[in-house]
Amino acid sequence: GTRDYSPRQMAVREKVFDVIIRCFKRHGAEVIDTPVFELKETLTGKYGEDSKLIYDLKDQGGELLSLRYDLTVPFARYLAMNKLNNIKRYHIAKVYRRDNPAMTRGRYREFYQCDFDIAGNFDPMIPDAECLKIMCEILSSLQIGDFLVKVNDRRILDGMFAICGVPDSKFRTICSSVDKLDKMSWEEVKNEMVGEKGLAPEVADRIGDYVQQHGGVSLVEQLLQDPKLSQNKQALEGLRDLKLLFEYLTLFGIDDKISFDLSLARGLDYYTGVIYEAVLLQSPAQAGEEPLGVGSVAAGGRYDGLVGMFDPKGRKVPCVGLSIGVERIFSIVEQRLEALEEKVRTTETQVLVASAQKKLLEERLKLVSELWDAGIKAELLYRKNPKLLNQLQYCEEAGIPLVAIIGEQELKDGVIKLRSVTSREEVDIRREDLVEEIKRRTGQPLCIC
Amino acid sequence: GTRDYSPRQMAVREKVFDVIIRCFKRHGAEVIDTPVFELKETLTGKYGEDSKLIYDLKDQGGELLSLRYDLTVPFARYLAMNKLNNIKRYHIAKVYRRDNPAMTRGRYREFYQCDFDIAGNFDPMIPDAECLKIMCEILSSLQIGDFLVKVNDRRILDGMFAICGVPDSKFRTICSSVDKLDKMSWEEVKNEMVGEKGLAPEVADRIGDYVQQHGGVSLVEQLLQDPKLSQNKQALEGLRDLKLLFEYLTLFGIDDKISFDLSLARGLDYYTGVIYEAVLLQSPAQAGEEPLGVGSVAAGGRYDGLVGMFDPKGRKVPCVGLSIGVERIFSIVEQRLEALEEKVRTTETQVLVASAQKKLLEERLKLVSELWDAGIKAELLYRKNPKLLNQLQYCEEAGIPLVAIIGEQELKDGVIKLRSVTSREEVDIRREDLVEEIKRRTGQPLCIC
């Protein structure tokens, strides 16, 4: 259920994280960290049915602890505990779920989450729009294919359930049926609502008329004219906010990526307002390969009540955030690299310090040390008398672009032979110019101009 | 026993990690990651007395799991499981110990380790010397004060115990008494050996003659002449290797940082050869402040037998590595920053998009979006009509250097007023030149030349 990450996987991982972190920082986020375990009671009652998937620590004396299940609940606990009223932060860390890992492809019991959240009392929909902008920036930068962001609002869903005649007590369970519309047909979902959950068929049909709709801002405007829905206070608030959201998304130039989708419901209990989920429009896998399937790669929403659950006085801090589904993204990027048979470098070494003759270990050690001290990424083989061929092969395998070769003659002349691994060209460089030449050749900036 | 990390603490942490990671990469290391928990049996019998500090997970069905206690044992398990014969990798992650956190200052139940290890069959002491070079590079770069690296060898210790007359069965327990010489006087240590551990006083005295010595390569040479010690095969091997190590350290220009110290023993069971520990020579705290005390900030050694413990055929993979004591280093850096009353920026935002008049939210959103798309780190206040003063104050507090101010006049003229927060100077910049001007002013490289 868990796995090690090899250097190759870690190299992919670092590239993906780099794109994500650069985006989070571009939007002015701070970073926090919380412990891997929380008090068991902190996690209790936050995840609905999924609470059974929480890992508990053994009672070895002291408090009862559980491994974190996501990063949102620890974030809310952090805000309440530190009496913070506003913060914009990101948090990248692993979370733990006792899921059956074999059942779902690419799902593990330990996996990364990348969360960005904005907490604070602000004017409506400005932070919400920024969260969607961030999702679009990251998914575009990662170049994993075309995507669409489905948007809805919990208040619209609840208002719709109310006017369709769903009893209050069934809102959540009917909500989770609706959420299955991305995987099941309406007929199947209706059967679940009526057969398993005891909803009257005509109520289900009324829901069906709504949740099968999706579109842009024009659908929002149409529903604002809907005689029943517009009479429901909650739904009206949700629709007005969505209209404002679309205005901001247009200013951000991402309205074409967004679809108002009444079937989007999201599983978690704590959402209170706008919710969203990004899906890839087609598998990036090439024809003939096993398709990755279309699925969610990022999601989030507004949760204005969660911090209050941890505050002794119930003080509320409105929050909105997003989570990037990095594990799915890692798989997609890894699969793409494999398909392209692209070589992934797992080190950044610029130069291997080598020798052509025997008995030059001391000289190699001196030179590699000079290079390290000058900030050059350098290696040498841990052999007293390695063969030149072995040293060159090492470079080929590791993708090291340059070899600095020491020989008796070079030592006498005060030069180093610098060899390009790909072109096999060799040039004598004066030893005092070597550092600069390596920097020049490997594109390390010499100055900021 | 655990703690959250605030944005300020995380900013310090990121700077320290950055120094360490750059050094590890300079030395050609790959990176791997392993799960936070291991099978309980993997950790059993590796940590001696400290095994009682291991956190177990609750038995919820399935395998018995424990949180990792260090990164070395998971690394060895990883090598054996993947049948790897050589790798040079680093691993930065949190480890878990059920220690009494109140008892020792700055010690937590969850803390980071930063490990670098070289696995493989190589010529003697070349990787060992590189590990010491890395330790010196990192401690110098971090500028946390003068330091000294104590070096010894388990084979020298064992040989010494043998010739002094310590029974085989008491090697480990006498070794851990010797290890206390950095905190206790020789008299106290001798009392422990004789009183608690039942060693004959004359045997203890013979040990005392050795372990109170420390020095450079000359002490190695002197002991190579020691009639008794040089007759012990193990000790002789250790001394010869140390002599070679000193030669390499001289070539690396760090021999002045190294002290051969016969009292260095290190607690962990798995070391088999050279061992080392870096200590700060004086507290970096200023006079009048609570001193941090002198203590270990990095340590490591050679462990040639650990991988074999996980291999079904007992196949051995020699390893040598080091661990940077980052938690201590974080405390030192945080304390130094507090003493200097230095402001630590917790974001990297280059510019705040502001407006001088009301009703300009749409224009602010458009501009900030343009800047994000151009790779500029930019923020805006999440208010429809924020006061200019509040916007400027936000910059002061967050350390944002520039403000891009939009007003009715600027919109007409096609310019943006760019204000420097510290100098308060304002210049009109043509909108199409704004991105370049911000990059120029914030030192973001425009080209690599």
Side-chain angles (χ1 to χ4, degrees):
Chain A
T2 59
R3 54 171 171 178
D4 296 315
Y5 295 108
S6 70
R8 190 189 148 92
Q9 289 169 320
M10 288 301 284
V12 170
R13 207 144 283 241
E14 282 197 341
K15 280 185 223 301
V16 171
F17 282 146
D18 184 55
V19 167
I20 294 170
I21 292 172
R22 268 192 289 126
C23 179
F24 289 163
K25 289 193 169 175
R26 196 157 61 233
H27 288 263
E30 302 183 286
V31 55
I32 69 159
D33 195 16
T34 63
V36 79
F37 42 68
E38 294 278 341
L39 291 178
K40 188 176 163 62
E41 63 188 59
T42 300
L43 307 188
T44 305
K46 307 301 186 302
Y47 302 107
E49 287 179 11
D50 289 345
S51 292
K52 64 179 183 300
L53 303 182
I54 294 173
Y55 271 108
D56 293 331
L57 264 70
K58 189 170 158 184
D59 185 359
Q60 293 169 291
E63 302 113 337
L64 291 180
L65 303 168
S66 301
L67 297 184
R68 63 183 161 212
Y69 183 85
D70 70 1
L71 301 177
T72 310
V73 167
F75 174 57
R77 192 265 309 147
Y78 175 84
L79 292 183
M81 212 161 126
N82 293 284
K83 299 190 172 40
L84 294 175
N85 290 310
N86 63 74
I87 189 172
K88 178 164 59 180
R89 80 87 180 84
Y90 72 89
H91 190 185
I92 296 182
K94 289 177 178 170
V95 302
Y96 300 86
R97 298 185 186 176
R98 294 180 54 254
D99 228 326
N100 195 334
M103 284 181 65
T104 349
R105 196 161 167 258
R107 283 185 73 168
Y108 289 87
R109 291 181 160 198
E110 173 182 63
F111 58 95
Y112 273 106
Q113 286 199 333
C114 296
D115 282 20
F116 173 102
D117 294 82
I118 301 172
N121 258 301
F122 300 116
D123 282 326
M125 308 319 281
I126 312 178
D128 313 59
E130 184 167 2
C131 285
L132 286 163
K133 171 75 173 152
I134 288 172
M135 252 163 67
C136 290
E137 283 182 23
I138 288 172
L139 294 176
S140 299
S141 305
L142 288 171
Q143 297 179 287
I144 47 172
D146 244 8
F147 62 90
L148 184 77
V149 185
K150 298 179 191 174
V151 173
N152 197 3
D153 194 296
R154 275 282 165 90
R155 291 165 299 173
I156 300 175
L157 280 169
D158 285 353
M160 181 188 71
F161 292 146
I163 62 159
C164 291
V166 179
D168 280 14
S169 61
K170 290 195 170 156
F171 274 23
R172 279 293 146 269
T173 183
I174 294 304
C175 198
S176 80
S177 295
V178 167
D179 203 40
K180 294 175 184 165
L181 273 170
D182 57 343
K183 293 181 196 86
M184 287 157 63
S185 71
W186 166 245
E187 284 314 311
E188 290 169 300
V189 170
K190 184 184 163 184
N191 283 342
E192 181 179 304
M193 286 178 175
V194 176
E196 287 176 37
K197 301 189 172 172
L199 206 64
E202 63 276 14
V203 174
D205 285 334
R206 272 178 235 139
I207 295 174
D209 290 342
Y210 283 112
V211 296
Q212 291 178 83
Q213 297 184 63
H214 56 89
V217 69
S218 57
L219 178 58
V220 180
E221 276 156 1
Q222 185 194 314
L223 291 177
L224 275 169
Q225 304 305 320
D226 182 288
K228 281 187 184 161
L229 203 58
S230 62
Q231 290 307 307
N232 180 284
K233 191 168 164 275
Q234 272 205 295
L236 187 64
E237 275 178 21
L239 287 165
R240 282 184 178 154
D241 274 352
L242 271 199
K243 195 171 169 224
L244 189 60
L245 180 68
F246 266 102
E247 277 174 38
Y248 297 160
L249 298 178
T250 307
L251 293 165
F252 284 165
I254 53 166
D255 49 314
D256 59 322
K257 296 281 184 200
I258 313 291
S259 166
F260 172 34
D261 192 322
L262 281 149
S263 73
L264 178 74
R266 305 280 307 137
L268 293 165
D269 278 358
Y270 49 63
Y271 291 119
T272 55
V274 63
I275 48 179
Y276 32 81
E277 184 172 293
V279 292
L280 293 184
L281 286 180
Q282 52 181 45
S283 162
Q286 314 232 326
E289 281 174 29
E290 194 185 345
L292 278 162
V294 181
S296 160
V297 285
R302 178 163 282 283
Y303 49 103
D304 290 348
L306 192 58
V307 178
M309 293 171 73
F310 295 107
D311 191 277
K313 292 177 185 162
R315 184 189 55 107
K316 284 194 174 178
V317 180
C319 295
V320 63
L322 64 100
S323 188
I324 304 290
V326 273
E327 298 290 342
R328 257 191 74 77
I329 291 169
F330 294 148
S331 312
I332 293 167
V333 175
E334 276 173 17
Q335 189 163 327
R336 190 181 56 191
L337 289 171
E338 266 165 46
L340 296 172
E341 288 177 30
E342 211 166 295
K343 211 167 172 179
V344 182
R345 281 203 68 182
T346 55
T347 70
E348 299 177 6
T349 309
Q350 297 165 300
V351 61
L352 184 83
V353 172
S355 58
Q357 294 110 357
K358 290 192 169 187
K359 298 199 178 169
L360 289 170
L361 173 61
E362 286 73 13
E363 293 297 335
R364 283 192 290 135
L365 291 173
K366 255 166 72 178
L367 180 59
V368 77
S369 180
E370 277 174 41
L371 295 177
W372 289 330
D373 292 344
I376 300 287
K377 294 167 191 152
E379 289 184 71
L380 82 169
L381 294 201
Y382 303 126
R383 297 280 171 208
K384 277 184 89 156
N385 296 309
K387 288 182 185 145
L388 186 59
L389 189 66
N390 291 346
Q391 297 175 85
L392 296 177
Q393 251 167 8
Y394 182 79
C395 292
E396 297 269 6
E397 281 159 22
I400 301 172
L402 297 171
V403 197
I405 306 173
I406 312 176
E408 298 290 355
Q409 193 57 48
E410 285 80 10
L411 283 172
K412 273 185 207 132
D413 299 346
V415 298
I416 302 290
K417 207 179 275 302
L418 192 63
R419 177 186 170 113
S420 154
V421 174
T422 44
S423 75
R424 299 179 184 192
E425 273 176 293
E426 294 184 346
V427 198
D428 281 353
I429 307 284
R430 285 190 309 165
R431 190 161 179 144
E432 58 269 32
D433 299 334
L434 185 64
V435 166
E436 210 157 323
E437 181 65 17
I438 294 170
K439 286 187 181 173
R440 201 185 59 74
R441 295 232 205 154
T442 53
Q444 192 170 324
L446 294 174
C447 73
I448 289 167
C449 61
Chain B
T2 60
R3 56 172 169 174
D4 297 315
Y5 296 108
S6 69
R8 189 188 149 94
Q9 289 169 320
M10 287 302 283
V12 169
R13 205 145 285 240
E14 283 198 341
K15 280 185 224 300
V16 171
F17 281 146
D18 184 54
V19 167
I20 293 170
I21 292 172
R22 269 192 289 126
C23 179
F24 289 164
K25 289 193 170 177
R26 197 157 60 233
H27 288 263
E30 302 184 286
V31 55
I32 69 157
D33 195 16
T34 64
V36 79
F37 41 69
E38 296 278 341
L39 291 178
K40 187 176 163 63
E41 63 189 59
T42 300
L43 307 189
T44 305
K46 307 301 184 303
Y47 302 108
E49 286 181 10
D50 289 345
S51 292
K52 63 180 184 296
L53 303 181
I54 294 173
Y55 270 108
D56 293 331
L57 264 70
K58 189 170 159 185
D59 184 359
Q60 295 169 290
E63 303 113 336
L64 290 181
L65 303 167
S66 300
L67 297 185
R68 63 183 162 214
Y69 183 85
D70 69 1
L71 302 176
T72 309
V73 167
F75 174 57
R77 193 265 309 148
Y78 174 84
L79 291 182
M81 210 160 127
N82 294 283
K83 300 190 172 37
L84 295 175
N85 291 310
N86 63 73
I87 189 172
K88 179 164 57 180
R89 78 90 181 81
Y90 72 89
H91 190 186
I92 297 182
K94 289 177 179 171
V95 301
Y96 300 87
R97 297 185 187 178
R98 293 180 55 254
D99 228 328
N100 196 334
M103 284 182 64
T104 348
R105 197 161 164 258
R107 284 186 72 169
Y108 289 88
R109 293 182 159 196
E110 173 184 62
F111 58 96
Y112 273 105
Q113 285 199 335
C114 295
D115 281 21
F116 174 102
D117 294 82
I118 301 172
N121 257 303
F122 301 116
D123 282 326
M125 307 320 280
I126 312 178
D128 313 60
E130 184 168 1
C131 287
L132 287 163
K133 172 74 174 151
I134 288 172
M135 252 165 67
C136 290
E137 283 183 23
I138 288 172
L139 294 176
S140 299
S141 305
L142 288 171
Q143 296 178 287
I144 47 171
D146 244 7
F147 62 90
L148 185 77
V149 185
K150 298 180 189 173
V151 173
N152 197 2
D153 193 296
R154 273 282 164 89
R155 292 166 297 175
I156 300 175
L157 280 169
D158 286 353
M160 180 189 74
F161 292 146
I163 61 158
C164 291
V166 179
D168 280 13
S169 60
K170 287 193 174 157
F171 274 23
R172 281 292 147 268
T173 184
I174 295 302
C175 197
S176 79
S177 296
V178 167
D179 203 40
K180 294 177 184 163
L181 274 170
D182 57 344
K183 295 183 195 83
M184 286 157 64
S185 71
W186 166 245
E187 285 313 313
E188 290 170 299
V189 169
K190 184 185 163 183
N191 283 342
E192 182 180 302
M193 287 178 175
V194 177
E196 288 176 36
K197 303 190 171 173
L199 206 65
E202 62 277 15
V203 174
D205 284 335
R206 273 179 236 137
I207 295 174
D209 290 342
Y210 284 111
V211 297
Q212 290 177 86
Q213 297 183 61
H214 56 88
V217 70
S218 57
L219 178 59
V220 180
E221 276 155 2
Q222 183 194 313
L223 291 178
L224 275 169
Q225 305 306 321
D226 182 288
K228 281 187 184 160
L229 203 57
S230 62
Q231 292 307 308
N232 180 284
K233 192 170 164 272
Q234 272 205 295
L236 188 63
E237 276 178 22
L239 287 165
R240 282 185 178 153
D241 275 351
L242 271 198
K243 195 172 168 226
L244 190 59
L245 180 67
F246 266 103
E247 277 174 37
Y248 297 160
L249 298 178
T250 307
L251 292 166
F252 285 164
I254 53 165
D255 50 313
D256 59 321
K257 295 281 182 199
I258 313 291
S259 166
F260 173 34
D261 191 322
L262 281 150
S263 73
L264 179 73
R266 305 278 309 138
L268 293 166
D269 277 358
Y270 50 64
Y271 290 120
T272 55
V274 62
I275 47 179
Y276 32 80
E277 185 172 293
V279 291
L280 294 183
L281 286 179
Q282 53 182 41
S283 160
Q286 313 232 325
E289 281 174 29
E290 194 184 345
L292 279 161
V294 180
S296 160
V297 286
R302 178 164 281 284
Y303 49 103
D304 289 349
L306 192 59
V307 178
M309 294 172 72
F310 296 107
D311 191 275
K313 292 177 186 164
R315 184 188 54 107
K316 284 194 176 179
V317 180
C319 296
V320 63
L322 65 100
S323 188
I324 304 290
V326 273
E327 298 290 343
R328 258 192 73 78
I329 292 169
F330 294 148
S331 313
I332 292 167
V333 175
E334 275 172 18
Q335 189 165 329
R336 189 182 57 192
L337 288 171
E338 265 165 46
L340 297 171
E341 289 177 30
E342 211 168 295
K343 213 168 171 178
V344 182
R345 280 202 69 183
T346 55
T347 71
E348 298 177 6
T349 308
Q350 297 165 299
V351 60
L352 184 83
V353 172
S355 58
Q357 294 111 355
K358 289 191 171 186
K359 300 199 177 168
L360 289 172
L361 174 61
E362 285 74 14
E363 292 297 335
R364 282 193 291 137
L365 291 173
K366 256 165 71 177
L367 181 59
V368 77
S369 180
E370 278 173 40
L371 295 177
W372 288 330
D373 292 343
I376 300 288
K377 295 168 191 152
E379 288 183 70
L380 82 169
L381 294 202
Y382 301 126
R383 297 280 172 208
K384 279 185 88 155
N385 296 308
K387 286 180 186 150
L388 185 59
L389 189 67
N390 290 346
Q391 298 174 84
L392 296 178
Q393 249 166 10
Y394 182 81
C395 292
E396 298 269 7
E397 281 159 21
I400 301 172
L402 297 170
V403 198
I405 305 173
I406 311 176
E408 299 291 353
Q409 192 57 47
E410 284 80 10
L411 284 172
K412 273 185 207 134
D413 298 347
V415 298
I416 302 288
K417 207 179 273 306
L418 192 63
R419 178 185 169 114
S420 154
V421 174
T422 43
S423 75
R424 299 182 183 190
E425 271 176 295
E426 294 184 344
V427 198
D428 282 351
I429 307 283
R430 283 189 311 164
R431 189 157 180 148
E432 58 270 32
D433 299 335
L434 184 65
V435 166
E436 209 157 324
E437 180 66 17
I438 293 169
K439 285 188 181 173
R440 201 184 60 74
R441 294 231 204 157
T442 52
Q444 192 170 325
L446 294 174
C447 74
I448 289 168
C449 60

